[in-house]
Amino acid sequence: MTYKDRLCCWAIARLLPSHQWMIVARFRSRSDADGHFQFLRQTIPHVKFEVVFDLSGDSNRLSVLGRCANSLASRL
């Protein structure tokens, strides 16, 4: 894991129907992640999202974005 990847340890994960989860965005601060989490919960209420602290590079997790997300809305 590179230094840049370690800066973005807060993430928003989406629970998939197969009981796996997928990282949809990464953030440097918890408050940024919480803000985008609130936005996602209001705009897509039927999908389950969680704010997680993720430092591992575990290959069992599906990572969509491997870097910090400045604007999650542009990726939806």
Side-chain angles (χ1 to χ4, degrees):
M1 178 178 282
T2 66
Y3 175 73
K4 187 175 180 179
D5 291 337
R6 285 184 285 164
L7 290 176
C8 302
C9 53
W10 290 100
I12 296 179
R14 177 181 178 179
L15 184 63
L16 300 174
S18 61
H19 298 294
Q20 290 182 322
W21 55 275
M22 170 176 58
I23 302 294
V24 295
R26 292 189 178 275
F27 303 92
R28 288 186 181 199
S29 72
R30 169 82 192 243
S31 62
D32 287 346
D34 284 336
H36 284 280
F37 172 73
Q38 293 295 327
F39 169 76
L40 286 172
R41 219 169 56 174
Q42 291 173 358
T43 56
I44 315 171
H46 62 278
V47 176
K48 175 127 171 92
F49 293 100
E50 290 290 331
V51 175
V52 297
F53 186 81
D54 182 29
L55 280 179
S56 68
D58 191 359
S59 61
N60 292 335
R61 298 183 182 141
L62 303 174
S63 180
V64 173
L65 303 176
R67 56 184 119 55
C68 292
N70 291 329
S71 174
L72 184 58
S74 67
R75 300 187 190 282
L76 293 177

